[in-house]
Amino acid sequence: MSTMTATTQRQPDQASGTTPLSSRVGPIEGTKQSLTLAWRSVIQIRHSPTDLADFSVQPIMFVLLFTFMFGGAIMGDWQTYLTFMLPGMIVMNMLFVTMYVGQGLNSDLTKGVFDRFRSLPIARWAPLAGRILAEQVKQIWSIILVLGVGMILGFRLQNGALGLLAAVGLLLFFALAFSWVGVLVGILAKDPERVQIYGMTVLFPVTFMSNVFVPLESLPSWLEPVVDANPVSTMADAVRGLMMDGAESGPILQTLLWGVVFAAVFAPLAVRAFRRRI
Amino acid sequence: MSATTADLAIHAEGLVKRFGETTALDGVDLEVPRGTVLGVLGPNGAGKTTAVRILSTLLGADAGHATVGGYDVQSQAHQVRQLIGLTGQYAAVDEALTGAENLLLIGRLLGLERSAAKRRAQDLLSDFDLVDAGHRAAGTYSGGMRRRLDLAASLVGRPRILYLDEPTTGLDPRARNDLWDIIRGLVADDVTVLLTTQYLEEADELAGQIVVIDHGRVIARGTPDELKAMTGTRTLAVRPENHTHVPTVRVVVAELASVEPDVNGQLVTAPITDSAILPLVVRRLDDAGVTVTELNLRTSSLDEVFLSLTGKPAEPDRGHDTNQAERIPA
Ligand SMILES: Nc1ncnc2c1ncn2[C@@H]1O[C@H](COP(=O)(O)OP(=O)(O)OP(=O)(O)O)[C@@H](O)[C@H]1O
Ligand SMILES: [Mg+2]
């Protein structure tokens, strides 16, 4: 602590005030700052074993559980079920991962890290953009994971690399749009735990009331239209189509549309809540 | 811009901030000349953090006006942010990153190249005695280490103006002294510091000027010496061995201290300005045949400073009640 002088010398330009300070952040710097903040969100995982478990162990466990526990009962044999269920599982996982953006944001807000960012001369939108960007990395990771486990168990892509790329693109597009819901929840929630509770209480029933785990035909007739209308079902259909043969434009277009709708509704709400909270 | 304003690193006039029913700031004026330390002293809920947040561009004021380094905090926030460093009341470090990564992150955000940011991080870690802990996640740090890391993070950009919101709350005496040394080093480098604290001693140690606020208003300002002279900085405490002597002690103390003492069980206390009365007290009690188990003079706590600042002329009978919330006349 005796060497303070070495690191705190004045910077002549700032101290003298002769060089006028810049009055705004350019888009290139803002993008750089967002990337730096995304990098930070990604390396956070390294030091946080629980996060790593959430991202990695849970999806693997789900694939195994559903395949072997329910596969036989639902479709006669687990191999057939795996082929049916895995694309939907990827969709479900994607939705769960969007909640991490809210959790991380909430933790920054409640722990004062956000205030530190806001006191720095960086773009106003960079912290949010960084979070959302980092989430895409987590999305890709969890897609690889679920798909990887599925392929070890015998799942086969029937539509080639192009189909897979299109499916991943669609998933990421929707994830990007849907992460505004996570952002909103993250801003409104009192603490990070509550963000997760929301994930459990809303996302779980919504994803289970879809055709991810059971075929539509097996449902009682009154439930069928509800499940069919669920955007999760639409997305599961689209991803199934793109990964297996039989990509139909209907579910794909509808998924894109749903993404636009979610973003159009929740982005303004989230930004407004954000302005209010900070 | 007038000449005097140009010499002020921080200049606030009539700051008002309301949160619903609560008026957190009720017309606060502050002037901090370049290269000096202003101590903002006040109890819980006085409005210290609110003032810091407005001056560091985190919060907009409802009324009033403030410039930092000559730039308006509201309309030129981005320029202000290039000048300031903020160490908030609660350490704002990313617990999932290591100490080094926390500092690297700030350096990169401030536009330093990777290697320069790394070097800066290492320099700060060694300045703040955190080299060994630099590779550990900040979540594993002790309270004092976290505070130091937080302060280091606010210095990455070599700010010319530094806000420290209760920087030593929760630190042990040694850590507190270390932090004081660091702050003194910064001031020697011509950094302007606005420091909030609940401890008179801390303001006394560091600040050239002190502003005392309560309920969002400035209730006193001056140098530490001026403030002490104004408030009477010591408290006389006498505890007779026999409880039947309490009235006698009370009379003696009242006479010598010229204020009505506070009686709490067997303990009689009174604020005094002149420590020379101590031998007189001893003599008078001796003459009266009173033996005491405790007799001392201690430096006034902030509480007592407040009493003498706010409780004196308006409500003399309220004197020494310890309920802070009711004390201040509107
Ligand atoms: N975001 C907020 N919403 C509502 N009320 C607030 C908010 N921030 C501060 N207040 C209120 O404003 C008043 C001043 O608070 P402030 O945090 O500035 O006090 P302080 O002097 O920093 O206190 P402490 O010593 O406890 O940190 C308090 O009554 C507080 O409850
Ligand atoms: Mg405070």
Side-chain angles (χ1 to χ4, degrees):
Chain A
M1 304 206 185
S2 50
T3 52
M4 284 310 298
T5 21
T7 49
T8 53
Q9 313 148 339
R10 65 160 64 204
Q11 275 184 326
D13 54 324
Q14 292 192 353
S16 61
T18 44
T19 320
L21 303 175
S22 73
S23 60
R24 50 190 296 276
V25 187
I28 296 175
E29 283 135 47
T31 309
K32 266 195 199 160
Q33 290 152 2
S34 306
L35 287 170
T36 301
L37 286 160
W39 159 81
R40 167 239 178 189
S41 299
V42 171
I43 61 169
Q44 273 181 333
I45 304 169
R46 227 178 45 208
H47 302 292
S48 167
T50 49
D51 274 13
L52 206 61
D54 277 353
F55 285 123
S56 308
V57 178
Q58 192 175 301
I60 295 173
M61 201 178 65
F62 267 42
V63 174
L64 295 176
L65 271 177
F66 272 89
T67 306
F68 295 112
M69 290 294 294
F70 304 127
I74 296 173
M75 290 202 164
D77 67 284
W78 64 263
Q79 289 90 344
T80 316
Y81 186 64
L82 180 67
T83 305
F84 166 79
M85 173 273 293
L86 201 81
M89 178 71 88
I90 293 173
V91 170
M92 179 179 94
N93 229 342
M94 178 268 285
L95 292 173
F96 283 0
V97 172
T98 56
M99 282 304 117
Y100 291 117
V101 77
Q103 228 174 319
L105 197 61
N106 188 275
S107 155
D108 281 353
L109 285 165
T110 50
K111 295 199 174 128
V113 176
F114 224 88
D115 282 346
R116 152 125 306 138
F117 293 153
R118 293 206 307 130
S119 76
L120 298 175
I122 59 172
R124 304 289 78 195
W125 45 269
L128 208 54
R131 274 274 164 213
I132 294 177
L133 220 64
E135 193 206 68
Q136 301 306 303
V137 177
K138 295 174 189 175
Q139 290 288 4
I140 292 173
W141 168 243
S142 82
I143 292 173
I144 292 173
L145 208 67
V146 174
L147 202 61
V149 175
M151 291 180 80
I152 290 170
L153 296 180
F155 178 83
R156 290 293 168 262
L157 290 165
Q158 290 162 23
N159 228 354
L162 221 60
L164 175 64
L165 274 182
V168 171
L170 188 69
L171 284 162
L172 290 184
F173 171 81
F174 191 85
L176 204 60
F178 197 75
S179 50
W180 286 107
V181 178
V183 170
L184 181 65
V185 176
I187 291 164
L188 295 180
K190 279 211 176 66
D191 52 60
E193 285 70 36
R194 268 172 238 233
V195 178
Q196 205 157 27
I197 292 170
Y198 162 83
M200 293 305 236
T201 50
V202 177
L203 282 185
F204 248 105
V206 169
T207 46
F208 276 78
M209 278 185 51
S210 71
N211 67 9
V212 167
F213 297 110
V214 290
L216 209 55
E217 306 82 61
S218 68
L219 298 171
S221 57
W222 57 270
L223 192 57
E224 214 185 289
V226 181
V227 168
D228 196 30
N230 186 345
V232 180
S233 301
T234 313
M235 219 174 339
D237 282 341
V239 173
R240 266 187 205 118
L242 286 168
M243 286 186 174
M244 318 312 285
D245 51 335
E248 290 172 48
S249 58
I252 296 171
L253 288 177
Q254 277 173 42
T255 301
L256 292 172
L257 199 67
W258 271 116
V260 172
V261 168
F262 272 110
V265 172
F266 285 98
L269 286 177
V271 169
R272 216 181 61 163
F274 190 60
R275 291 237 165 95
R276 236 183 239 186
R277 167 127 187 197
I278 58 174
Chain B
M1 211 190 286
S2 75
T4 46
T5 312
D7 295 332
L8 291 177
I10 302 170
H11 189 196
E13 285 175 313
L15 291 183
V16 174
K17 182 69 194 179
R18 291 183 203 88
F19 294 105
E21 299 283 281
T22 321
T23 302
L25 291 181
D26 196 4
V28 167
D29 302 331
L30 297 173
E31 292 187 356
V32 192
R34 236 174 229 169
T36 67
V37 182
L38 175 72
V40 176
L41 199 62
N44 290 137
K48 303 183 295 296
T49 299
T50 306
V52 167
R53 288 175 65 82
I54 289 174
L55 294 173
S56 55
T57 77
L58 298 183
L59 203 63
D62 293 328
H65 172 86
T67 59
V68 171
Y71 294 99
D72 187 280
V73 289
Q74 229 135 342
S75 63
Q76 296 174 304
H78 188 66
Q79 285 94 322
V80 171
R81 291 181 192 121
Q82 291 166 69
L83 295 173
I84 63 169
L86 169 65
T87 303
Q89 185 167 0
Y90 306 100
V93 299
D94 187 334
E95 297 181 357
L97 298 190
T98 66
E101 285 165 348
N102 264 287
L103 300 179
L104 180 63
L105 171 68
I106 307 289
R108 295 286 285 154
L109 286 175
L110 291 174
L112 295 180
E113 291 302 323
R114 202 177 174 79
S115 57
K118 273 198 169 148
R119 237 177 299 126
R120 181 85 183 123
Q122 283 311 318
D123 287 350
L124 283 165
L125 286 175
S126 65
D127 283 352
F128 286 85
D129 218 6
L130 289 169
V131 175
D132 294 334
H135 312 288
R136 259 172 35 210
T140 67
Y141 285 17
S142 74
M145 290 162 77
R146 226 176 265 221
R147 277 246 155 239
R148 293 208 298 272
L149 180 62
D150 195 38
L151 182 54
S154 64
L155 294 178
V156 172
R158 301 174 203 271
R160 305 310 308 152
I161 295 159
L162 186 63
Y163 301 107
L164 303 171
D165 195 359
E166 299 194 25
T168 62
T169 302
L171 293 191
D172 66 34
R174 218 203 106 191
R176 199 185 53 179
N177 277 311
D178 286 350
L179 208 80
W180 285 355
D181 284 341
I182 290 168
I183 295 168
R184 288 192 192 101
L186 290 166
V187 176
D189 283 338
D190 205 29
V191 172
T192 307
V193 176
L194 188 151
L195 165 106
T196 80
T197 180
Q198 302 195 28
Y199 309 118
L200 184 61
E201 189 197 355
E202 181 161 283
D204 192 10
E205 282 284 333
L206 298 172
Q209 286 281 321
I210 296 178
V211 164
V212 184
I213 62 173
D214 192 30
H215 289 248
R217 283 195 205 164
V218 176
I219 56 171
R221 64 174 88 222
T223 65
D225 286 341
E226 284 168 354
L227 235 88
K228 281 184 202 163
M230 204 150 88
T231 60
T233 135
R234 316 191 113 193
T235 300
L236 172 70
V238 185
R239 188 192 299 274
E241 193 175 50
N242 190 328
H243 70 92
T244 56
H245 285 148
V246 171
T248 317
V249 173
R250 185 186 178 126
V251 169
V252 168
V253 173
E255 200 177 305
L256 292 171
S258 320
V259 292
E260 184 56 30
D262 191 34
V263 181
N264 198 342
Q266 225 153 298
L267 185 70
V268 180
T269 56
I272 62 165
T273 41
D274 181 8
S275 48
I277 73 164
L278 194 58
L280 292 176
V281 172
V282 175
R283 198 174 311 149
R284 290 280 301 272
L285 289 177
D286 200 31
D287 290 348
V290 176
T291 35
V292 295
T293 52
E294 182 186 338
L295 184 137
N296 60 38
L297 255 186
R298 56 191 162 83
T299 310
S300 290
S301 62
L302 176 61
D303 211 39
E304 287 149 348
V305 172
F306 261 72
L307 279 171
S308 36
L309 276 176
T310 61
K312 242 191 297 186
E315 294 156 289
D317 54 329
R318 273 257 213 106
H320 281 69
D321 86 38
T322 46
N323 185 350
Q324 289 188 0
E326 297 179 349
R327 201 178 303 125
I328 312 306

